[in-house]
Short mmCIF file of all heavy atoms in Angstrom, two decimals:
data_model
loop_
_atom_site.label_atom_id
_atom_site.label_comp_id
_atom_site.label_asym_id
_atom_site.label_seq_id
_atom_site.Cartn_x
_atom_site.Cartn_y
_atom_site.Cartn_z
N VAL A 1127 38.68 103.17 89.48
CA VAL A 1127 39.52 104.35 89.30
C VAL A 1127 38.64 105.52 88.88
O VAL A 1127 37.83 105.40 87.95
CB VAL A 1127 40.61 104.10 88.24
CG1 VAL A 1127 41.42 105.36 88.00
CG2 VAL A 1127 41.51 102.95 88.68
N THR A 1128 38.79 106.65 89.53
CA THR A 1128 37.98 107.83 89.24
C THR A 1128 38.88 108.96 88.75
O THR A 1128 39.88 109.30 89.39
CB THR A 1128 37.23 108.29 90.51
OG1 THR A 1128 36.43 107.20 91.01
CG2 THR A 1128 36.33 109.48 90.20
N GLU A 1129 38.54 109.49 87.58
CA GLU A 1129 39.25 110.63 86.97
C GLU A 1129 40.74 110.35 86.80
O GLU A 1129 41.56 111.27 86.87
CB GLU A 1129 39.03 111.89 87.80
CG GLU A 1129 37.58 112.33 87.86
CD GLU A 1129 37.40 113.60 88.67
OE1 GLU A 1129 38.39 114.04 89.30
OE2 GLU A 1129 36.29 114.16 88.65
N GLY A 1130 41.08 109.09 86.61
CA GLY A 1130 42.47 108.74 86.34
C GLY A 1130 43.41 108.93 87.52
O GLY A 1130 44.63 109.01 87.33
N LYS A 1131 42.86 108.95 88.74
CA LYS A 1131 43.68 109.19 89.93
C LYS A 1131 43.50 108.05 90.94
O LYS A 1131 42.45 107.43 91.00
CB LYS A 1131 43.30 110.53 90.58
CG LYS A 1131 43.53 111.74 89.68
CD LYS A 1131 43.11 113.02 90.39
CE LYS A 1131 43.31 114.23 89.49
NZ LYS A 1131 42.87 115.49 90.16
N TYR A 1132 44.55 107.86 91.75
CA TYR A 1132 44.46 106.87 92.82
C TYR A 1132 43.48 107.30 93.90
O TYR A 1132 43.37 108.49 94.22
CB TYR A 1132 45.82 106.68 93.47
CG TYR A 1132 46.80 105.84 92.68
CD1 TYR A 1132 47.91 106.43 92.08
CD2 TYR A 1132 46.63 104.47 92.54
CE1 TYR A 1132 48.83 105.67 91.36
CE2 TYR A 1132 47.53 103.70 91.83
CZ TYR A 1132 48.63 104.31 91.24
OH TYR A 1132 49.53 103.55 90.53
N SER A 1133 42.78 106.34 94.47
CA SER A 1133 41.95 106.60 95.64
C SER A 1133 42.79 106.41 96.90
O SER A 1133 43.98 106.09 96.84
CB SER A 1133 40.75 105.63 95.66
OG SER A 1133 39.97 105.78 94.51
N THR A 1134 42.18 106.63 98.06
CA THR A 1134 42.88 106.49 99.33
C THR A 1134 43.54 105.11 99.42
O THR A 1134 42.94 104.11 99.08
CB THR A 1134 41.90 106.67 100.50
OG1 THR A 1134 41.27 107.95 100.37
CG2 THR A 1134 42.64 106.59 101.83
N ALA A 1135 44.79 105.11 99.89
CA ALA A 1135 45.57 103.86 99.88
C ALA A 1135 45.49 103.13 101.21
O ALA A 1135 45.44 103.74 102.28
CB ALA A 1135 47.03 104.16 99.55
N GLN A 1136 45.46 101.80 101.11
CA GLN A 1136 45.70 100.96 102.28
C GLN A 1136 47.16 100.56 102.24
O GLN A 1136 47.61 99.90 101.31
CB GLN A 1136 44.81 99.72 102.26
CG GLN A 1136 45.16 98.74 103.39
CD GLN A 1136 44.15 97.63 103.54
OE1 GLN A 1136 42.96 97.87 103.66
NE2 GLN A 1136 44.64 96.40 103.54
N ASP A 1137 47.90 100.96 103.27
CA ASP A 1137 49.34 100.71 103.31
C ASP A 1137 49.61 99.30 103.83
O ASP A 1137 48.91 98.81 104.72
CB ASP A 1137 50.01 101.75 104.21
CG ASP A 1137 51.50 101.86 103.93
OD1 ASP A 1137 52.18 100.82 103.97
OD2 ASP A 1137 51.97 102.97 103.66
N CYS A 1138 50.65 98.69 103.28
CA CYS A 1138 51.01 97.35 103.73
C CYS A 1138 51.49 97.35 105.17
O CYS A 1138 51.50 96.31 105.82
CB CYS A 1138 52.08 96.75 102.82
SG CYS A 1138 53.63 97.68 102.80
N SER A 1139 51.87 98.53 105.71
CA SER A 1139 52.27 98.60 107.11
C SER A 1139 51.12 98.27 108.03
O SER A 1139 51.29 97.82 109.15
CB SER A 1139 52.81 100.00 107.43
OG SER A 1139 51.81 100.99 107.21
N ALA A 1140 49.89 98.48 107.55
CA ALA A 1140 48.71 98.11 108.35
C ALA A 1140 48.68 96.60 108.56
O ALA A 1140 48.26 96.11 109.61
CB ALA A 1140 47.43 98.57 107.65
N ASP A 1141 49.15 95.85 107.54
CA ASP A 1141 49.24 94.41 107.71
C ASP A 1141 50.22 94.06 108.82
O ASP A 1141 50.00 93.16 109.62
CB ASP A 1141 49.68 93.75 106.40
CG ASP A 1141 48.68 94.00 105.28
OD1 ASP A 1141 47.51 94.25 105.59
OD2 ASP A 1141 49.10 93.94 104.11
N ASP A 1142 51.36 94.80 108.83
CA ASP A 1142 52.34 94.57 109.88
C ASP A 1142 51.77 94.87 111.25
O ASP A 1142 52.00 94.15 112.22
CB ASP A 1142 53.59 95.43 109.64
CG ASP A 1142 54.29 95.05 108.33
OD1 ASP A 1142 54.09 93.91 107.87
OD2 ASP A 1142 55.02 95.90 107.79
N ASP A 1143 50.97 95.98 111.33
CA ASP A 1143 50.35 96.34 112.61
C ASP A 1143 49.41 95.24 113.07
O ASP A 1143 49.31 94.95 114.27
CB ASP A 1143 49.60 97.66 112.46
CG ASP A 1143 50.54 98.83 112.20
OD1 ASP A 1143 51.75 98.68 112.48
OD2 ASP A 1143 50.08 99.87 111.69
N ASN A 1144 48.70 94.65 112.11
CA ASN A 1144 47.76 93.58 112.48
C ASN A 1144 48.49 92.39 113.10
O ASN A 1144 47.95 91.69 113.93
CB ASN A 1144 46.99 93.14 111.24
CG ASN A 1144 46.01 94.20 110.76
OD1 ASN A 1144 45.60 95.05 111.53
ND2 ASN A 1144 45.67 94.14 109.47
N PHE A 1145 49.73 92.17 112.67
CA PHE A 1145 50.51 91.09 113.25
C PHE A 1145 51.10 91.50 114.59
O PHE A 1145 51.26 90.69 115.50
CB PHE A 1145 51.65 90.69 112.30
CG PHE A 1145 51.18 89.90 111.11
CD1 PHE A 1145 51.17 90.46 109.85
CD2 PHE A 1145 50.72 88.61 111.26
CE1 PHE A 1145 50.74 89.75 108.76
CE2 PHE A 1145 50.28 87.88 110.17
CZ PHE A 1145 50.28 88.45 108.93
N LEU A 1146 51.44 92.79 114.74
CA LEU A 1146 52.08 93.26 115.97
C LEU A 1146 51.11 93.23 117.15
O LEU A 1146 51.53 92.98 118.29
CB LEU A 1146 52.62 94.68 115.78
CG LEU A 1146 53.83 94.81 114.85
CD1 LEU A 1146 54.19 96.28 114.66
CD2 LEU A 1146 55.03 94.05 115.44
N VAL A 1147 49.82 93.51 116.89
CA VAL A 1147 48.86 93.57 117.99
C VAL A 1147 48.77 92.24 118.73
O VAL A 1147 48.92 92.19 119.96
CB VAL A 1147 47.48 94.03 117.48
CG1 VAL A 1147 46.42 93.85 118.56
CG2 VAL A 1147 47.54 95.48 117.04
N PRO A 1148 48.53 91.12 118.05
CA PRO A 1148 48.47 89.86 118.81
C PRO A 1148 49.81 89.50 119.44
O PRO A 1148 49.84 88.87 120.50
CB PRO A 1148 48.05 88.83 117.76
CG PRO A 1148 48.36 89.44 116.44
CD PRO A 1148 48.19 90.91 116.62
N ILE A 1149 50.91 89.87 118.79
CA ILE A 1149 52.22 89.58 119.38
C ILE A 1149 52.39 90.35 120.68
O ILE A 1149 52.86 89.81 121.70
CB ILE A 1149 53.34 89.93 118.39
CG1 ILE A 1149 53.30 88.95 117.20
CG2 ILE A 1149 54.70 89.87 119.06
CD1 ILE A 1149 54.28 89.29 116.10
N ALA A 1150 51.99 91.65 120.66
CA ALA A 1150 52.13 92.46 121.86
C ALA A 1150 51.22 91.94 122.97
O ALA A 1150 51.63 91.87 124.14
CB ALA A 1150 51.79 93.92 121.53
N VAL A 1151 49.99 91.59 122.62
CA VAL A 1151 49.07 91.05 123.62
C VAL A 1151 49.60 89.76 124.20
O VAL A 1151 49.59 89.53 125.43
CB VAL A 1151 47.67 90.84 123.01
CG1 VAL A 1151 46.76 90.10 123.99
CG2 VAL A 1151 47.05 92.16 122.61
N GLY A 1152 50.11 88.89 123.32
CA GLY A 1152 50.67 87.63 123.79
C GLY A 1152 51.86 87.84 124.71
O GLY A 1152 52.01 87.16 125.75
N ALA A 1153 52.73 88.80 124.34
CA ALA A 1153 53.90 89.08 125.18
C ALA A 1153 53.48 89.62 126.54
O ALA A 1153 54.06 89.26 127.58
CB ALA A 1153 54.82 90.08 124.47
N ALA A 1154 52.45 90.49 126.55
CA ALA A 1154 51.97 91.03 127.82
C ALA A 1154 51.40 89.93 128.71
O ALA A 1154 51.67 89.88 129.93
CB ALA A 1154 50.93 92.11 127.56
N LEU A 1155 50.61 89.04 128.12
CA LEU A 1155 50.05 87.94 128.89
C LEU A 1155 51.14 87.02 129.43
O LEU A 1155 51.06 86.55 130.58
CB LEU A 1155 49.07 87.14 128.03
CG LEU A 1155 47.76 87.85 127.65
CD1 LEU A 1155 46.93 86.99 126.71
CD2 LEU A 1155 46.95 88.19 128.90
N ALA A 1156 52.15 86.79 128.59
CA ALA A 1156 53.27 85.95 129.05
C ALA A 1156 53.99 86.60 130.22
O ALA A 1156 54.39 85.94 131.19
CB ALA A 1156 54.23 85.70 127.88
N GLY A 1157 54.16 87.95 130.13
CA GLY A 1157 54.80 88.66 131.24
C GLY A 1157 54.01 88.57 132.52
O GLY A 1157 54.57 88.36 133.61
N VAL A 1158 52.67 88.73 132.40
CA VAL A 1158 51.82 88.63 133.60
C VAL A 1158 51.90 87.23 134.18
O VAL A 1158 51.98 87.05 135.41
CB VAL A 1158 50.36 88.99 133.23
CG1 VAL A 1158 49.43 88.67 134.40
CG2 VAL A 1158 50.25 90.45 132.84
N LEU A 1159 51.89 86.21 133.32
CA LEU A 1159 51.98 84.83 133.80
C LEU A 1159 53.29 84.58 134.54
O LEU A 1159 53.31 83.93 135.60
CB LEU A 1159 51.83 83.87 132.62
CG LEU A 1159 51.89 82.37 132.94
CD1 LEU A 1159 50.78 81.99 133.92
CD2 LEU A 1159 51.82 81.53 131.68
N ILE A 1160 54.38 85.11 133.99
CA ILE A 1160 55.68 84.94 134.65
C ILE A 1160 55.68 85.60 136.02
O ILE A 1160 56.18 85.04 137.01
CB ILE A 1160 56.80 85.51 133.75
CG1 ILE A 1160 56.96 84.62 132.49
CG2 ILE A 1160 58.12 85.59 134.51
CD1 ILE A 1160 57.90 85.21 131.46
#
Side-chain angles (χ1 to χ4, degrees):
V1127 176
T1128 304
E1129 298 181 352
K1131 298 179 181 179
Y1132 283 110
S1133 301
T1134 304
Q1136 173 170 307
D1137 199 306
C1138 61
S1139 61
D1141 298 336
D1142 297 337
D1143 293 342
N1144 290 337
F1145 285 109
L1146 289 175
V1147 170
I1149 292 174
V1151 172
L1155 291 176
V1158 171
L1159 180 60
I1160 291 172

